[in-house]
Amino acid sequence: MYEVNLRAFSQAGDLAGVTARLEEIQSLGANTLWLMPIHPIGQLNSVGQLGSPYSVMDYGVVSSEYGALSDLSTLVTDAHNRGMFVLMDWVANHTAWDHQWINAHPDWYSQNAQGQIIHPPGTNWMDVADLNYNSAAMRSAMISEMQYWVADVGIDGFRADAADFVPFDFWQQAITAVRSATQRPLLMLAEGARTDHYDAGFDLTWSFGFFGELDKVFNSSGSARLLGLKHNQEFSQIPAGKSILRYTTNHDESAWNATPPVLFGGLNASLAAYAAVIAYDGTPLVYNGQEIGWSNNVPIFSKSPLDWSTGQSTSEWYSDLLDIRESHEALRGGALTDRSNTEVAMVLRENQDDRVLVLINTRNFSASISVPSDWQGEWIDQFTGNSETLTASYSLDAYEVLFLSPPTAQPGDFDLDGDVDGADFFAWQRGVLTDPPNALDLLEWQTNYGNPVPQGATATPVPEPASVGLLFFTCTVLVGISRRSHSWR
């Protein structure tokens, strides 16, 4: 999932700016786009330079700040053509103080003993008025607004803001009604930790807990084992077919706390933290700017455009990591075996024949971990394609990340090290042929598995030399071939 803060995403800060970069968002690996609220913002009791997008003045309109309804329709259509979902941010707990419901239906709002409408209890959200869910009429009006965006505009679901503040029976009623408004599948995300959200019909909830453990591990020297413990605790409460949203930042964290490179202690630390999000499963979130390693805070009450010309190597890393996740079913629901120690997170993910071993150093210094005997040996680094040998005690550099898979047989890779090179010829000699190879055999191997033989080239049979001479002859030929090309692929 990819979250867009329109005020930061482009220079214009509008919907058209998102449409223009859909290809980049999709190439990162995202298939779901979450738009922060796009409705007109209340002016009464407004906060910040431009007001909070979560202070909604009219649920049924696109704010002129972001463009027109036609701009949203274009974005939705283009996203659908790419096979992507588009979610709207839905603020059901409260409205702006100048929403039309305030004067027309004051009973739709929570009131104190003096009959005054109040802001949400237990918060400092003074710019919004708390809705009264004892009002059946208000519920009906809210659901009608949600149905409009799904049935008439083509929105694919909602991210429900402050979902824990809204009663279970409303979400159950609303989600049932919204899904009945279309034949298309919808995705419902609750920004909340209540387990009854799944019973209400939500597909995803918010992983506050795992984010909190990442903070402890990277910033307070907490044991890397905490990640596995929190993962197991959260997933024990998730029904089959449902998931949880995991992240290293979002609009709240990057606005009020810090962006990942600052929060986790540097760019490499932030990448290691995100690698843990992928390693331990769940639905991963990317917030705009995260993929380029943006280090400045990203406000939501004012405009602060991101500079997309920066951080290309970081963007490629995120893209590669999410591609690895997409390429391995084991990383998208496979069984998890955790052998982490205090400094290094080490987990094996398995799904049928697919296996991925992940090692993440959560510290800013080199750290070692004991590798179980059945995990030792040759693996293939999924970032580089290079062979990696795990020994009984394996050391990682500061914040080093490894995603490893077992080597798979490919044509000519007779020693199963993931590369086709001269060593494979010796393996072929030992394991395939009963007689020592001659020049014709070498030419045949090179033709099938090595560099193409120049057109018109032929091989002249030679008498088989004695064993010592054969070794010298074979090595000489292999050296000669290796000098013509650095690769046998």
Side-chain angles (χ1 to χ4, degrees):
M1 188 174 295
Y2 189 92
E3 182 189 4
V4 172
N5 172 356
L6 289 166
R7 288 171 167 173
F9 192 79
S10 66
Q11 288 292 326
D14 57 12
L15 292 161
V18 182
T19 304
R21 290 188 61 86
L22 271 182
E23 182 175 353
E24 286 82 355
I25 294 173
Q26 187 176 40
S27 65
L28 184 67
N31 58 18
T32 302
L33 188 68
W34 154 26
L35 302 174
M36 284 176 60
I38 59 173
H39 307 297
I41 294 170
Q43 299 302 304
L44 185 61
N45 299 329
S46 177
V47 295
Q49 183 180 352
L50 298 176
S52 169
Y54 293 89
S55 176
V56 176
M57 190 167 62
D58 190 337
Y59 288 112
V61 178
V62 173
S63 171
S64 59
E65 178 185 347
Y66 308 126
L69 178 60
S70 59
D71 295 312
L72 177 62
S73 296
T74 297
L75 172 57
V76 170
T77 299
D78 285 6
H80 287 177
N81 289 340
R82 294 176 178 274
M84 300 175 70
F85 272 34
V86 179
L87 305 187
M88 285 178 62
D89 211 327
W90 197 259
V91 188
N93 181 68
H94 46 264
T95 74
W97 287 98
D98 38 6
H99 192 289
Q100 59 181 342
W101 290 353
I102 289 274
N103 293 324
H105 307 285
D107 58 311
W108 289 10
Y109 291 84
S110 302
Q111 301 178 14
N112 60 21
Q114 290 74 42
Q116 299 169 324
I117 296 174
I118 61 174
H119 73 278
T123 77
N124 62 352
W125 304 341
M126 308 303 293
D127 60 328
V128 292
D130 192 63
L131 285 166
N132 173 22
Y133 274 88
N134 291 321
S135 170
M138 186 278 292
R139 288 177 176 230
S140 179
M142 177 76 72
I143 291 171
S144 294
E145 298 276 21
M146 296 175 74
Q147 288 178 313
Y148 161 73
W149 292 103
V150 169
D152 294 2
V153 184
I155 291 297
D156 302 297
F158 299 97
R159 178 264 187 186
D161 179 66
D164 285 351
F165 289 31
V166 177
F168 163 82
D169 61 345
F170 170 77
W171 287 130
Q172 188 176 48
Q173 177 187 6
I175 293 172
T176 300
V178 168
R179 286 202 160 114
S180 70
T182 181
Q183 296 298 313
R184 294 177 293 107
L186 300 180
L187 182 65
M188 298 295 297
L189 163 65
E191 188 213 10
R194 288 194 342 229
T195 56
D196 66 4
H197 289 316
Y198 295 110
D199 295 330
F202 282 104
D203 303 291
L204 295 158
T205 61
W206 207 259
S207 184
F208 294 106
F210 194 81
F211 175 77
E213 296 306 287
L214 284 172
D215 188 27
K216 292 178 185 176
V217 171
F218 281 85
N219 292 319
S220 301
S221 299
S223 172
R225 295 188 184 96
L226 293 173
L227 301 176
L229 294 174
K230 180 55 66 173
H231 166 82
N232 291 333
Q233 184 269 324
E234 287 186 333
F235 264 79
S236 69
Q237 304 176 65
I238 299 176
K242 306 286 187 174
S243 189
I244 194 166
L245 192 75
R246 286 186 169 160
Y247 54 89
T248 56
T249 192
N250 53 56
H251 64 273
D252 282 325
E253 294 300 331
S254 282
W256 310 118
N257 189 358
T259 54
V262 176
L263 177 62
F264 292 102
L267 177 60
N268 289 338
S270 72
L271 302 183
Y274 197 76
V277 167
I278 302 301
Y280 282 93
D281 205 4
T283 297
L285 174 71
V286 174
Y287 176 56
N288 56 202
Q290 173 182 349
E291 72 269 38
I292 57 174
W294 195 257
S295 59
N296 297 328
N297 281 52
V298 184
I300 60 176
F301 293 174
S302 61
K303 290 186 177 182
S304 181
L306 300 163
D307 183 357
W308 293 110
S309 67
T310 64
Q312 297 310 304
S313 61
T314 303
S315 180
E316 290 172 5
W317 184 91
Y318 274 96
S319 180
D320 288 346
L321 178 62
L322 292 169
D323 185 60
I324 291 169
R325 179 181 184 272
E326 179 64 22
S327 300
H328 289 281
E329 190 174 353
L331 290 171
R332 294 178 282 110
L336 187 150
T337 304
D338 197 328
R339 293 291 183 270
S340 302
N341 64 14
T342 302
E343 290 85 20
V344 178
M346 181 171 67
V347 297
L348 180 68
R349 303 292 306 281
E350 298 177 279
N351 190 308
Q352 297 181 348
D353 295 332
D354 189 27
R355 303 174 76 219
V356 180
L357 179 60
V358 184
L359 292 89
I360 303 167
N361 185 358
T362 65
R363 301 295 192 256
N364 63 351
F365 51 81
S366 297
S368 298
I369 190 166
S370 296
V371 179
S373 58
D374 54 338
W375 294 3
Q376 295 171 26
E378 293 294 324
W379 295 80
I380 303 301
D381 187 327
Q382 296 301 284
F383 278 105
T384 66
N386 296 332
S387 176
E388 191 75 35
T389 301
L390 295 188
T391 54
S393 179
Y394 190 82
S395 178
L396 294 96
D397 294 335
Y399 300 126
E400 184 177 359
V401 171
L402 288 174
F403 278 72
L404 307 172
S405 282
T408 56
Q410 58 175 310
D413 182 17
F414 299 118
D415 60 2
L416 298 179
D417 68 348
D419 292 315
V420 178
D421 53 25
D424 294 302
F425 183 78
F426 289 106
W428 183 61
Q429 171 191 344
R430 292 191 302 270
V432 178
L433 296 180
T434 55
D435 297 323
N438 56 29
L440 280 175
D441 296 323
L442 179 59
L443 181 60
E444 178 186 350
W445 185 88
Q446 183 185 5
T447 301
N448 291 330
Y449 307 120
N451 295 322
V453 177
Q455 186 173 3
T458 59
T460 302
V462 296
E464 292 184 6
S467 57
V468 175
L470 174 62
L471 178 61
F472 174 78
F473 166 78
T474 304
C475 292
T476 302
V477 173
L478 288 174
V479 169
I481 292 174
S482 67
R483 285 177 177 168
R484 288 199 297 273
S485 172
H486 68 279
S487 174
W488 287 77
R489 295 176 187 260

